[in-house]
Amino acid sequence: MSGINYETLKTIVNMCSMPSAILSVEKNDDGTCGKILMVATNDKFSMTGEDVEGQPYDLKIPRDPKFEEILFKAAWNNEHYHAYVDTTRLYGYWTEDIVIPINNNGDSKIGYCQFIYNLSKEMDSGKYSIISPDIASFVIRTCINLRKNDDFYTTMNLVTKEIREFTDSFATSIVTISKDFYQFEVISESVRNNLVSIHDIFTDIPYEIVESWEDLISGTDCIIIRNEQDMCDIEKRAPEWVKTLRANDVKSLCLAPFIHQNMIIGYLFITNFDVTQLARFKDTIEMVAFFLASEAAHHIFIEKLRSLSSLDIRTGVQNRNAMNTKVDELAMELKIAPVPYSVAFCTLSTLKTININQGHDAGNNLLRDAGKILREVFKDDFIYRSAGDEFAVISTNSSEEEFSKKIDTLKEKASDPEWVYFTVGYYTDATDGSLHTAMRFANQYGQEFKEEFYYTHPEMIR
């Protein structure tokens, strides 16, 4: 150790009654932050008694770009830091963090600072109020805007626009996630000069990628990508997600979770911002996310109630009531603005036999698998459980050839006469015909194929 002696640092850290460590912060030749090591620690910091001195700081503390910047500024710019951070999801406690500069005696490569923390079960509002006036002002204005408009989406778009302007980012959006239904929703977006559509971009992103964010964010309060090195680090754990980021020219990213009842229910998604301002707005984003979480939770709850009222629970597709409503609406729309459309009726011909031979639990599992196949094949179409073993599909965004290919795919995926087997009748109308008539034709064709199935498999007749 050059310029300062270990015994002195050890004495300083041992005099602290709270968990504490002296950290060495290396300055690279280009003036950026290099390695950060735990030079001296007290017993409360190491807790387990293991020797962590001389090890990288992230052996004990989750790696965080903002935290590294704070340590660098303390070690090299003589800046103190004091904050109260919500780490209840990570540790079950709030954390009070203190960083104090230590004179490095003129060493040009290594600087030092002391890190002290304290854990508390409850938030101390007095300590939490130490945030700067500009951050406080922005957070207060955001909370006021959340009460300005009764329309949820209008309100969220307004808040999102203000967050984008505050962070000077290229794009900002709010995404909610519903694990019960395996789906996510982009509920708001703001893009500089409206150059792209976040909704369109996320249309091509599968649910699994959004779901993977939770694993990435574990152990930290948000995901930060500042540069190519950070991007590569994330890429090792989530290559498919990073592929979408690169495809959309994302260079920097801040992903802050919305946490409700200790569960992640959504995210604030910010891309291509001035990374030199990260320390300034990261605290702000985390605080805003805290308030947005309750709004997102309320929205998800209402949407869940709405979905449950129109959802067939066993299959995950829409129920007959939803179909009746949609058919009437769509029939009127097609009269006003005719477009080609296709209708299919798919009968789960094995359901009755499975119920009788294996019981209703097996039948429910069959319905679950059948619904999953239908959702995979007709993911951009309207799917309904129109009767016990019958499903209806309505498509307004596929050509006759495209819809025919979907039917062929369904028959390939559901051709097991001992489990999922669909007989299908379908009809495409490229004119301004009646939707109700098209559905009748499709149903009639479906009945013919159903009779053919029973002729081929007489053992399935019940």
Side-chain angles (χ1 to χ4, degrees):
M1 181 183 309
S2 172
I4 196 166
N5 110 9
Y6 168 77
E7 286 72 23
T8 300
L9 296 180
K10 191 69 174 177
T11 300
I12 293 172
V13 82
N14 281 334
M15 290 175 63
C16 185
S17 61
M18 295 186 290
S20 178
I22 304 292
L23 303 170
S24 67
V25 183
E26 181 184 30
K27 181 192 284 188
N28 295 324
D29 292 338
D30 61 359
T32 59
C33 182
K35 293 181 181 178
I36 301 176
L37 304 178
M38 296 176 286
V39 176
T41 63
N42 63 9
D43 292 340
K44 290 184 178 180
F45 184 85
S46 58
M47 289 185 291
T48 59
E50 62 179 319
D51 184 9
V52 298
E53 294 183 349
Q55 298 297 316
Y57 86 94
D58 56 3
L59 183 68
K60 294 294 290 183
I61 306 168
R63 184 169 179 263
D64 184 348
K66 183 201 168 185
F67 184 63
E68 292 177 3
E69 185 174 356
I70 291 167
L71 298 178
F72 185 82
K73 287 182 176 180
W76 289 101
N77 299 343
N78 202 37
E79 294 184 17
H80 294 68
Y81 177 80
H82 184 193
Y84 207 54
V85 183
D86 182 5
T87 52
T88 51
R89 183 170 172 268
L90 299 178
Y91 313 120
Y93 294 87
W94 287 77
T95 302
E96 180 183 9
D97 290 342
I98 303 169
V99 180
I100 303 170
I102 295 178
N103 193 316
N104 70 349
N105 290 344
D107 193 316
S108 62
K109 290 289 187 179
I110 303 295
Y112 298 93
C113 60
Q114 182 177 10
F115 171 62
I116 306 167
Y117 73 85
N118 187 39
L119 301 178
S120 173
K121 272 289 186 183
E122 302 295 333
M123 180 184 75
D124 183 331
S125 58
K127 294 177 180 177
Y128 199 55
S129 65
I130 63 174
I131 60 173
S132 63
D134 64 324
I135 292 178
S137 175
F138 180 78
V139 173
I140 291 170
R141 187 167 72 249
T142 299
C143 293
I144 291 173
N145 286 333
L146 288 174
R147 297 291 174 266
K148 270 188 175 180
N149 199 305
D150 290 335
D151 181 75
F152 175 77
Y153 292 98
T154 300
T155 299
M156 288 299 160
N157 275 312
L158 172 62
V159 169
T160 301
K161 179 176 181 292
E162 292 199 339
I163 293 172
R164 187 189 66 77
E165 292 174 349
F166 181 82
T167 58
D168 192 26
S169 58
F170 174 74
T172 298
S173 60
I174 292 175
V175 180
T176 57
I177 184 167
S178 299
K179 296 179 183 178
D180 294 344
F181 300 121
Y182 300 98
Q183 64 186 25
F184 65 87
E185 179 188 8
V186 179
I187 62 175
S188 67
E189 67 172 74
S190 177
V191 178
R192 187 181 298 151
N193 300 323
N194 297 317
L195 291 176
V196 297
S197 168
I198 303 299
H199 284 83
D200 290 347
I201 290 172
F202 271 86
T203 298
D204 298 324
I205 295 179
Y207 168 80
E208 288 75 17
I209 284 182
V210 176
E211 186 181 43
S212 72
W213 295 348
E214 183 164 355
D215 290 334
L216 294 173
I217 218 162
S218 61
T220 185
D221 48 7
C222 67
I223 295 174
I224 297 289
I225 296 176
R226 300 165 298 176
N227 49 38
E228 181 60 23
Q229 180 181 340
D230 290 344
M231 187 77 77
C232 291
D233 289 343
I234 295 293
E235 190 171 26
K236 294 173 185 176
R237 301 170 60 193
E240 292 303 314
W241 179 38
V242 171
K243 186 186 297 183
T244 68
L245 296 178
R246 294 190 188 280
N248 290 285
D249 200 32
V250 172
K251 305 296 185 184
S252 58
L253 177 141
C254 177
L255 186 70
F258 298 155
I259 300 174
H260 180 71
Q261 295 181 346
N262 210 33
M263 290 179 58
I264 293 180
I265 59 170
Y267 298 88
L268 185 56
F269 192 97
I270 304 171
T271 65
N272 292 358
F273 48 84
D274 182 357
V275 295
T276 64
Q277 298 298 313
L278 177 61
R280 171 179 170 267
F281 74 71
K282 184 173 179 287
D283 283 339
T284 313
I285 294 310
E286 291 171 0
M287 292 184 67
V288 168
F290 178 82
F291 293 106
L292 288 176
S294 61
E295 300 295 322
H298 178 71
H299 170 72
I300 291 171
F301 176 71
I302 296 300
E303 289 301 305
K304 186 177 292 187
L305 289 180
R306 185 178 290 116
S307 296
L308 289 174
S309 68
S310 61
L311 193 72
D312 180 72
I313 301 300
R314 288 187 172 87
T315 62
V317 304
Q318 300 292 291
N319 60 27
R320 185 176 181 85
N321 289 336
M323 184 184 78
N324 292 338
T325 301
K326 186 61 182 179
V327 166
D328 290 340
E329 291 177 356
L330 194 55
M332 185 64 67
E333 291 174 8
L334 290 171
K335 283 184 179 179
I336 297 172
V339 294
Y341 61 90
S342 298
V343 178
F345 276 92
C346 313
T347 301
L348 187 57
S349 302
T350 50
L351 179 60
K352 291 179 181 177
T353 304
I354 294 294
N355 275 333
I356 292 171
N357 293 344
Q358 300 182 36
H360 286 284
D361 285 344
N364 288 338
N365 291 335
L366 173 61
L367 285 167
R368 179 201 63 206
D369 290 350
K372 184 174 183 290
I373 291 173
L374 286 169
R375 296 196 307 273
E376 289 174 352
V377 175
F378 300 104
K379 61 182 178 180
D380 299 322
D381 303 315
F382 303 107
I383 313 169
Y384 306 95
R385 187 180 180 190
S386 52
D389 59 357
E390 185 181 74
F391 298 82
V393 179
I394 303 174
S395 176
T396 58
N397 58 8
S398 300
S399 66
E400 183 174 1
E401 182 181 358
E402 290 169 339
F403 194 74
S404 178
K405 288 181 179 178
K406 291 181 181 180
I407 297 297
D408 290 341
T409 301
L410 175 65
K411 289 179 179 179
E412 291 174 6
K413 289 177 173 286
S415 58
D416 183 356
E418 295 183 359
W419 192 241
V420 181
Y421 192 107
F422 276 120
T423 55
V424 186
Y426 69 100
Y427 181 83
T428 297
D429 192 327
T431 67
D432 57 352
S434 165
L435 176 59
H436 292 88
T437 302
M439 294 182 73
R440 186 166 64 250
F441 286 154
N443 199 11
Q444 288 174 356
Y445 298 149
Q447 292 302 317
E448 294 173 9
F449 288 114
K450 181 178 178 181
E451 292 172 5
E452 182 180 322
F453 170 79
Y454 287 134
Y455 178 80
T456 307
H457 301 280
E459 73 279 5
M460 305 300 288
I461 300 175
R462 289 291 186 271

